[in-house]
Amino acid sequence: MHFDNEELPAAYLQYTRTKIIILCIGVIILFFLLILSISSGAVSIPPIEVFQTLIGESVSLKWNKIILSIRLPQALTAIVAGAGLGCAGLAMQSILRNPLASPFTFGIAHAAAFGAAFSIIILGSGVMQNSSINPYVIDNPFATTFVAFISCLLATAVILLISHLKRATPEVTVLAGVAIGSLCTAATMFLQLFADDTQLAAVVFWTFGDVSRADWGELAIMAVVTVLSLVYFYYHRWDYNAIDAGDETASSLGVHVARIRIVGMIVVSVITAVIMSFLGIIGFVGLISPHIIRRIVGDDHRFTIPGTIIMGAILLLASDTVGRVIIVPHVVPVSVVTSFLGAPMFLYLLVRGYNR
Amino acid sequence: MILTVGGLSFQYKSREIFNDVTFELGRNEVLAIMGPNGVGKTTLLRCLNLILKPTGGTIMVEEQNIMHLAKRDVAKRLGYVPQKQESGRMTAFDAILLGRRPHITWDISEKDLKIVHGVIKRLNLEHLSLQYIDQMSGGELQKVSIARALVQEPDLLLLDEPTSSLDLKNQLEILSEIRNITRFHSVSVIMTMHDLNLALRFLNKFIFLKSGMIYSAGTCKDVTPEMIHDVYGVQTAIREMYGYPVVIPLTG
Ligand SMILES: Nc1ncnc2c1ncn2[C@@H]1O[C@H](COP(=O)(O)OP(=O)(O)OP(=O)(O)O)[C@@H](O)[C@H]1O
Ligand SMILES: [Mg+2]
């Protein structure tokens, strides 16, 4: 068959160009936000100085230490975690065909936190410190993350079973997610019975996820895992688009629907496990970033994947910055800020009827 | 022969839907699969496309057994339009572009865009190309889905009740377009159909399914009131009017 009429669709090209421009604007916003975030906090640093330090041309070195060893890793952690969680949410929403899906709403985040707590308290893969900035040090990040990952996989398996074997409605799957989340939270609390005072403080602290906990080494692990996962998702963007058009259509277009689902959920579990075991539970970024970006660029995963990466990063970085400046000198953990943002949005989606 | 189906059978769990279905289809032919509701027409199309795995038999497309091909390669040879369409917040152009997915390795090329544009023009969908498909009527969506299957550039097109949600004008338009495409683009079509009049008018060959078997098959000129009675249990007469065969129900 041959339908090529040697003519490019001008209107469509214009339409995709607009979306690319929107994404570029997002990147620029993210960059300015990064400068702003690094410059603000208990000590404010002039944005110009931040910029000069970042490009390695600073004249005065007095901010170097604050910028390079505290603020920059924290900001980059927010960016990586936001991008990873956002994309995990987007992938779940597409794979499960459920607009309410995200690692947090389906309890996978709680499962990760439980796994990490279990590894640290029972298996002793970390040591708790009595310090409010960094209440624990993970001796063995691989063991901790691995246990968190196994725990995530169990939660994921339950969700896949419920949403597909039983052909449950989106609401039923969400309720199942809530149940899994509560169960994992209860199990984490149960572990507290075996914890000493400092461990107890740490576990409680854990339920408020925070991006200031990661150092450069942990950031590197998170970044590698997240980047690999994002590449995986982007590589399969056409498959997600096809699944949006219906399982049958996707299958007739050569997509291994069941395989894409299962592998996709495993990748979601990996991202969630790594991020949650280093940072604690951070909610709602994975739910709301995809929804905001769909409003702006539509449902096409060629654009929603990069868009969600940018949006998730912006949301988490902005939340972290707000949390640091809102009641100086106290720091509000980023998870508290995201919940203030995300919970109303979630309720809105539920009430409005979430027709994607 | 573009398609040779031999001894095809399928069962859902323990329930047998059809058994030993055997037929052939030549190049540029349009075949209607007809039969009462629930007889297994949709299931048969899904099996031909390997969306469902047949429990027995062979499906050869141009002497090649497609059961041994990778899913992507099957999709390059067979296009499928399901009975029910799903819509999302995606423009018609993007929805149709999806049909290029079996040919895409990393990203779309100019050629893909040109093919999609060509099919859109051909099916008169230009005014809809940037409209979201969740804001379309059932008929418009049906045309978009047919366009998606066409841009796959398949050898064989499987359409499940392609005219069921179209108005009179669009039924005629789509069917004659499909007939033209089969004439000029070396593609064959299998479609399921309930409207006997349209089938007799536009299609070359027919298969009547009855209780899991091929009850009768042949060219559309061979359809008789007896066959229709045996398959649907309805008394009819077939008359020629203005040069077209017309089925007139006599009971009810
Ligand atoms: N997933 C399934 N599991 C079990 N049985 C099924 C399934 N899907 C369809 N069936 C059964 O298989 C039979 C054939 O269904 P099919 O959809 O192929 O019929 P059809 O000929 O296309 O009917 P219609 O004209 O109404 O579209 C029906 O009796 C149906 O109940
Ligand atoms: Mg059917």
Side-chain angles (χ1 to χ4, degrees):
Chain A
M1 240 202 271
H2 187 71
F3 288 107
D4 191 343
N5 68 347
E6 296 303 326
E7 196 184 322
L8 280 171
Y12 179 74
L13 289 177
Q14 184 57 45
Y15 163 84
T16 48
R17 218 171 287 134
T18 315
K19 292 186 177 182
I20 293 170
I21 292 171
I22 292 173
L23 293 183
C24 292
I25 294 173
V27 173
I28 294 169
I29 293 175
L30 180 60
F31 178 75
F32 280 107
L33 188 60
L34 175 67
I35 305 277
L36 180 71
S37 169
I38 293 176
S39 79
S40 50
V43 185
S44 26
I45 305 172
I48 291 292
E49 297 268 348
V50 174
F51 182 68
Q52 285 169 340
T53 308
L54 287 189
I55 60 172
E57 308 223 326
S58 71
V59 258
S60 65
L61 293 175
K62 63 176 174 174
W63 309 114
N64 250 7
K65 188 155 169 47
I66 298 186
I67 292 178
L68 292 183
S69 62
I70 299 176
R71 299 235 177 124
L72 183 60
Q74 176 163 356
L76 291 181
T77 303
I79 289 176
V80 167
L85 292 176
C87 243
L90 178 69
M92 281 181 79
Q93 288 168 16
S94 173
I95 290 170
L96 300 176
R97 320 188 101 239
N98 187 338
L100 300 174
S102 76
F104 182 71
T105 46
F106 278 19
I108 298 178
H110 307 82
F114 166 72
F118 182 84
S119 168
I120 288 178
I121 297 175
I122 306 293
L123 306 178
S125 67
V127 175
M128 302 296 165
Q129 291 181 338
N130 196 3
S131 133
S132 64
I133 301 168
N134 202 354
Y136 64 93
V137 171
I138 299 177
D139 282 343
N140 190 337
F142 293 105
T144 310
T145 314
F146 185 72
V147 178
F149 172 57
I150 297 295
S151 171
C152 275
L153 274 188
L154 287 177
T156 306
V158 173
I159 285 167
L160 276 178
L161 280 179
I162 290 171
S163 74
H164 279 280
L165 285 190
K166 287 269 144 206
R167 306 219 162 262
T169 61
E171 292 86 347
V172 170
T173 322
V174 170
L175 292 178
V178 170
I180 293 169
S182 315
L183 183 68
C184 293
T185 309
T188 311
M189 287 178 176
F190 179 72
L191 287 179
Q192 294 173 9
L193 297 177
F194 303 97
D196 58 33
D197 279 357
T198 51
Q199 285 179 327
L200 195 65
V203 173
V204 172
F205 202 82
W206 206 319
T207 46
F208 304 102
D210 195 355
V211 291
S212 66
R213 294 178 189 171
D215 58 24
W216 279 108
E218 291 166 353
L219 174 59
I221 298 173
M222 278 190 282
V224 168
V225 171
T226 303
V227 168
L228 289 179
S229 311
L230 297 183
V231 168
Y232 170 83
F233 287 137
Y234 191 66
Y235 180 73
H236 287 284
R237 60 201 181 285
W238 293 102
D239 297 352
Y240 297 127
N241 280 349
I243 289 176
D244 276 356
D247 282 9
E248 242 188 303
T249 303
S251 183
S252 77
L253 292 171
V255 178
H256 290 273
V257 178
R259 190 191 298 171
I260 287 287
R261 276 211 166 96
I262 290 173
V263 177
M265 287 304 284
I266 292 174
V267 176
V268 165
S269 303
V270 175
I271 301 186
T272 312
V274 171
I275 293 176
M276 300 295 166
S277 58
F278 288 134
L279 305 182
I281 297 180
I282 297 173
F284 292 115
V285 183
L287 178 76
I288 55 181
S289 342
H291 280 284
I292 296 174
I293 224 60
R294 274 201 209 100
R295 281 290 157 103
I296 303 174
V297 301
D299 259 353
D300 186 343
H301 287 84
R302 278 183 294 162
F303 302 105
T304 51
I305 291 176
T308 305
I309 292 172
I310 298 165
M311 196 69 218
I314 289 178
L315 270 185
L316 207 55
L317 187 57
S319 302
D320 179 53
T321 314
V322 169
R324 277 187 289 126
V325 298
I326 197 162
I327 38 170
V328 184
H330 297 286
V331 173
V332 182
V334 70
S335 63
V336 175
V337 183
T338 55
S339 294
F340 272 123
L341 277 173
M345 172 88 183
F346 184 62
L347 290 177
Y348 169 73
L349 284 175
L350 265 179
V351 172
R352 199 190 50 143
Y354 59 78
N355 50 348
R356 313 212 302 172
Chain B
M1 285 298 137
I2 183 84
L3 177 74
T4 315
V5 176
L8 201 67
S9 57
F10 180 78
Q11 52 193 51
Y12 279 117
K13 305 242 163 62
S14 60
R15 187 172 151 217
E16 186 177 272
I17 304 298
F18 53 79
N19 189 7
D20 196 21
V21 168
T22 300
F23 64 90
E24 285 183 336
L25 188 68
R27 234 171 230 296
N28 305 357
E29 286 182 331
V30 186
L31 169 74
I33 296 180
M34 295 184 283
N37 290 125
V39 74
K41 302 180 294 294
T42 299
T43 310
L44 178 58
L45 286 190
R46 286 181 184 154
C47 283
L48 292 178
N49 202 14
L50 302 183
I51 292 176
L52 293 173
K53 204 165 166 32
T55 38
T58 53
I59 304 169
M60 314 282 279
V61 175
E62 285 189 320
E63 318 300 313
Q64 188 172 32
N65 191 344
I66 59 166
M67 288 183 181
H68 302 310
L69 287 182
K71 230 170 147 47
R72 179 188 287 268
D73 294 323
V74 174
K76 283 179 187 167
R77 316 211 64 174
L78 279 79
Y80 173 61
V81 178
Q83 196 167 358
K84 288 192 219 85
Q85 323 293 338
E86 297 195 41
S87 60
R89 186 141 279 265
M90 188 178 259
T91 61
F93 196 103
D94 286 320
I96 298 171
L97 185 59
L98 213 48
R100 296 301 298 164
R101 192 253 169 217
H103 302 271
I104 295 171
T105 43
W106 170 253
D107 208 354
I108 46 170
S109 64
E110 284 202 347
K111 178 173 172 248
D112 296 318
L113 291 173
K114 285 175 179 169
I115 290 171
V116 172
H117 193 48
V119 170
I120 285 178
K121 278 188 142 175
R122 176 118 206 192
L123 295 187
N124 294 324
L125 288 170
E126 270 171 305
H127 61 294
L128 292 174
S129 86
L130 291 185
Q131 188 174 324
Y132 287 122
I133 57 174
D134 62 357
Q135 298 169 343
M136 283 185 179
S137 77
E140 289 166 342
L141 193 58
Q142 187 106 40
K143 278 179 126 183
V144 167
S145 303
I146 293 173
R148 166 160 59 217
L150 284 176
V151 302
Q152 274 175 262
E153 300 191 305
D155 299 315
L156 182 62
L157 205 53
L158 308 172
L159 309 174
D160 202 355
E161 297 189 25
T163 52
S164 58
S165 53
L166 300 181
D167 66 25
L168 186 62
K169 175 169 177 287
N170 278 301
Q171 286 181 352
L172 298 174
E173 200 178 294
I174 280 287
L175 286 175
S176 51
E177 195 54 55
I178 287 170
R179 194 170 55 183
N180 286 341
I181 286 167
T182 57
R183 282 193 193 145
F184 301 115
H185 293 279
S186 87
V187 60
S188 311
V189 178
I190 299 181
M191 61 173 89
T192 65
M193 198 137 196
H194 284 303
D195 189 324
L196 294 165
N197 289 322
L198 283 176
L200 295 188
R201 178 160 172 175
F202 283 96
L203 279 52
N204 318 119
K205 292 176 96 179
F206 76 95
I207 284 179
F208 274 123
L209 287 181
K210 191 187 167 191
S211 47
M213 313 272 253
I214 293 186
Y215 169 76
S216 61
T219 62
C220 281
K221 292 183 197 69
D222 305 334
V223 175
T224 61
E226 289 72 43
M227 285 178 193
I228 296 172
H229 180 261
D230 287 347
V231 173
Y232 296 100
V234 177
Q235 292 288 354
T236 57
I238 299 179
R239 293 282 177 279
E240 186 137 326
M241 292 175 84
Y242 299 99
Y244 300 113
V246 180
V247 178
I248 304 151
L250 299 177
T251 46

Short mmCIF file of all heavy atoms in Angstrom, two decimals, chain B residues 42 83 160-161, ligand 2:
data_model
loop_
_atom_site.label_atom_id
_atom_site.label_comp_id
_atom_site.label_asym_id
_atom_site.label_seq_id
_atom_site.Cartn_x
_atom_site.Cartn_y
_atom_site.Cartn_z
N THR B 42 -16.37 -11.69 15.98
CA THR B 42 -15.31 -10.87 16.57
C THR B 42 -14.16 -11.77 17.03
O THR B 42 -12.99 -11.45 16.81
CB THR B 42 -15.87 -10.07 17.76
OG1 THR B 42 -16.91 -9.22 17.27
CG2 THR B 42 -14.81 -9.24 18.42
N GLN B 83 -14.49 -3.49 17.18
CA GLN B 83 -15.90 -3.13 17.14
C GLN B 83 -16.15 -1.87 17.98
O GLN B 83 -16.87 -0.99 17.57
CB GLN B 83 -16.70 -4.31 17.70
CG GLN B 83 -18.16 -4.32 17.40
CD GLN B 83 -18.80 -5.68 17.71
OE1 GLN B 83 -18.12 -6.61 18.11
NE2 GLN B 83 -20.09 -5.77 17.53
N ASP B 160 -14.05 -4.86 12.17
CA ASP B 160 -15.16 -5.44 12.90
C ASP B 160 -16.33 -4.46 12.88
O ASP B 160 -16.31 -3.43 13.54
CB ASP B 160 -14.74 -5.75 14.35
CG ASP B 160 -15.63 -6.80 14.99
OD1 ASP B 160 -16.61 -7.20 14.35
OD2 ASP B 160 -15.32 -7.21 16.12
N GLU B 161 -17.34 -4.79 12.13
CA GLU B 161 -18.52 -3.95 11.95
C GLU B 161 -18.17 -2.49 11.69
O GLU B 161 -18.53 -1.60 12.45
CB GLU B 161 -19.45 -4.08 13.16
CG GLU B 161 -19.95 -5.51 13.27
CD GLU B 161 -21.04 -5.69 14.31
OE1 GLU B 161 -21.73 -4.70 14.60
OE2 GLU B 161 -21.18 -6.80 14.80
MG MG C 2 -18.73 -8.84 17.31
#
